[in-house]
Amino acid sequence: MKLSPLKWILRCLAYVWASPYTIAGIAIGLILGGRFQRIDGVVEIFGPRIEKALGRMPMPAMAMTFGHVVFGVHAVALDVTRRHEAVHVKQYERWGPLFVPAYLAASAYLYARGRDGYRENPFEIEAYAVDTPDFSQRES
Ligand SMILES: [Zn+2]
């Protein structure tokens, strides 16, 4: 797909804006010896040590997004969660370095009021709104 010059510049700016998390994600993926694949402009990383790390999170996850990097417990998990995580990638493009503080602040605000800081988090509500499994985009 060919982008107009303006859209191309905006795409570049989105990558730059989210890059602190993307760079951290790539570094973590290299340290954990993950397998890398690139799908739709996103680097996906999976492997046994990624699976172990995601399982040790306060809320164990099948996948987790860092900028333009998505970690998955394995390749199938990445397939299943791709649409959901793509929404988080767009959120990183919108919020840039502010994304994680904004996400955590929303969760803390909800938890402090006895509500579900994950499922009721506006960032998750937006992501779950498009959440249906999609097996059509897997590259081998
Ligand atoms: Zn999510």
Side-chain angles (χ1 to χ4, degrees), residues 84-85 88 118 124 127:
H84 178 101
E85 301 305 325
H88 289 315
Y118 177 69
E124 292 301 338

Side-chain angles (χ1 to χ4, degrees), residues 18-93:
S19 66
Y21 293 109
T22 305
I23 291 166
I26 289 171
I28 292 167
L30 290 171
I31 290 165
L32 295 179
R35 280 192 56 191
F36 286 57
Q37 60 187 16
R38 189 174 55 83
I39 296 181
D40 296 333
V42 173
V43 177
E44 296 182 342
I45 309 173
F46 61 96
R49 292 170 73 191
I50 303 286
E51 181 174 7
K52 207 170 183 179
L54 288 173
R56 288 185 178 158
M57 301 293 293
M59 182 173 280
M62 284 177 54
M64 175 177 266
T65 301
F66 274 63
H68 289 89
V69 170
V70 177
F71 294 107
V73 295
H74 43 64
V76 175
L78 288 164
D79 290 339
V80 171
T81 61
R82 187 163 293 121
R83 286 169 51 99
H84 178 101
E85 301 305 325
V87 173
H88 289 315
V89 170
K90 292 291 176 202
Q91 292 167 342
Y92 275 100
E93 290 182 349

